[in-house]
Amino acid sequence: MRLLITNIKELYQVEGNDENRLVVAGRNMAVVPSIANAWLLTESGLIKDFGPMENVPADGFDETMDVTGRLVLPTWCDSHTHLVFAAPRDGEFVDRIRGLSYEAIAAKGGGILNSAAKLNEMSENELYHQSLVRLHKVIAQGTGAIEIKSGYGLCEEGELKMLRVIRKLKENSTIDIKATLLAAHAYPLEYKENKEGYIKLILDKILPRVADEGLADYMDVFCEEGFFSVADTERLLEAGWKYGLKPKIHANQLHYSGGVQVGVKNKALSVDHLECVGDAEIASLIGSNTMPVLLPGAAFFLGIQYQPARKIIDAGLPVCLATDYNPGSCPSGNVPLLLSIACTQLKMTPEEVVNAVTINGAAAMELQDTLGSIKRGKKANLIITRPMSTLAYIPYDYGNNPVDKVLINGVVV
Ligand code: NIG
Ligand code: FE
């Protein structure tokens, strides 16, 4: 099938054949290259060609779509989610309003342990169907590639169940999905007094089985005071590498915990959260290939300090944004809303937030060769917006859905 999209008000994030922007960093984040009044041709699910309307092809297509007044962008790449979960946690939301902190709720057996109890009671099939509904919802909001973590099993069978659900989502979805093993998300209750026992269970049982069944692409650890220490994180990441799982870790959400440094030292693909980032963390990221991934949706929902995005960008580093979609700290996988929060609270510009969830989001999932920009030969995963004037209107129109149509592999979903 060859689809010709015409009269695009502005086609964003375009790249020439010879360009290869694998990551956008520092000052370059302020620019999203575009073509006004453009056309785009897809063929067999890929971007075949594009250009200004003066040169619109007269033939060589099967169907046309006139999108007068609308913008076209590559779909969002959401590189950090916990989309597979069994139940909402609105009770804890109310507890927090009344003054309990996220850590206090976790310490009394709520939080991640609450999610684990519910997940371990639910059948794999039911978990799959609930998760599929969430996946379809975020695709409709423009997400065209996603990473999903385990971490609510916290036992051998529970972690494997989650990863099998993610595999089934991969098999039955047209979007790219990356799976991450996050067995080291919290210590289960039965290991409260035997933390070493749980780490051994991950190292000796869970990790080998996950690797053997090819269930995960990446290895995550919640490196944080009260959760997994820097030393434990390092042991777990080294073990993950032995099984071919690259690190992608939760770091510096609640404290200056050394998480960023241990991630960089262990060649993490990304270090995620980063509410607590100062000069030492920035210095360790400079010159590394580790992507700083900011999750301001979680900071918003927990009412904690925001990530210092400006400081990171001004240091010449890239910034990636992701939703952190999960039942505790961010029950929303809505990328347009995330972009509004990043603009208003992190003081990122509309161009910076779009770079952060397209090219940089793709890089944080190693999908930069096939997704993240409008380039000939990349997948035709496209967002067609509602009629609007500029890119800035997307984060400006907060709480509303800017997306009219989503194309995945050239097909409207
Ligand atoms: O990224 N911080 C750790 N993990 C998740 C939250 C998990 C939960 O509360 O269920 C996060 O915020
Ligand atoms: Fe997370």
Side-chain angles (χ1 to χ4, degrees), residues 4-8 35-40 51-57:
L4 178 68
I5 305 173
T6 59
N7 295 314
I8 301 168
I35 302 175
N37 197 21
W39 57 271
L40 182 146
M53 279 304 284
E54 298 95 89
N55 312 326
V56 67

Side-chain angles (χ1 to χ4, degrees), residues 80 82 89 102 112 152 185 222 250 253 273 324 326 328-329:
H80 181 135
H82 310 248
R89 304 213 306 259
Y102 180 77
I112 296 164
Y152 294 132
H185 197 188
F222 186 15
H250 282 74
Q253 178 184 14
H273 261 298
D324 199 19
N326 77 76
S329 66

